[in-house]
Amino acid sequence: VQLQASGGGLVQAGESLRLSCSISQETLDYYAVGWFRQPPGKEREGISCMSRLDRSRRYADSAKGRFTLSKDNAQNTVFLQLNNLTPDDTAVYYCAAVDSVRFCPGFNLVGGMSWGKGTLVTVSS
């Protein structure tokens, strides 16, 4: 399973970014997918995920109302729209996929997860 995240960059507080994660077609159809981030000096945390069962979306409290997860089957890509960014959103963002119903909605790190290389988001004040 190959995942490739992109779209990070340096922005000012209040601005937006859209992160992209290209995934193989088979994975997009049958796997749960999600986004994590790791701020400097902190542990990785789940931000948003899409359930394998019903494709419902789940957001961490820090992301609710500002971030939106979406997918484009034609492009085999999952997106994470980041709006109204703050310096606290500065982190390396990772996409992940796994063939498991236990991953989402709890962001559980189950066996067999595939990860893309992270993309850095830096928000200046």
Side-chain angles (χ1 to χ4, degrees):
V1 177
Q2 301 292 325
L3 295 86
Q4 181 66 51
S6 61
L10 172 63
V11 297
Q12 294 186 337
E15 294 185 339
S16 300
L17 281 173
R18 188 174 78 158
L19 307 183
S20 300
C21 180
S22 298
I23 311 176
S24 62
Q25 184 175 4
E26 179 181 1
T27 303
L28 193 62
D29 288 342
Y30 300 113
Y31 280 41
V33 296
W35 288 91
F36 290 73
R37 70 182 182 186
Q38 187 165 16
K42 297 183 179 180
E43 295 186 352
R44 191 174 299 189
E45 59 179 353
I47 294 299
S48 181
C49 64
M50 180 181 294
S51 169
R52 184 192 186 282
L53 287 177
D54 58 8
R55 298 304 179 192
S56 61
R57 295 160 176 80
R58 173 67 178 267
Y59 297 94
D61 288 343
S62 59
K64 289 179 181 177
R66 299 189 302 130
F67 297 175
T68 303
L69 186 152
S70 62
K71 68 182 180 72
D72 185 325
N73 286 337
Q75 299 185 37
N76 303 329
T77 303
V78 175
F79 301 99
L80 187 65
Q81 178 69 37
L82 312 175
N83 294 332
N84 193 22
L85 286 162
T86 74
D88 288 341
D89 296 315
T90 294
V92 178
Y93 285 71
Y94 299 88
C95 57
V98 65
D99 181 10
S100 173
V101 300
R102 296 187 294 117
F103 167 57
C104 187
F107 302 109
N108 300 305
L109 298 182
V110 299
M113 291 191 68
S114 296
W115 296 87
K117 291 184 178 180
T119 184
L120 177 62
V121 173
T122 303
V123 185
S124 62
S125 58

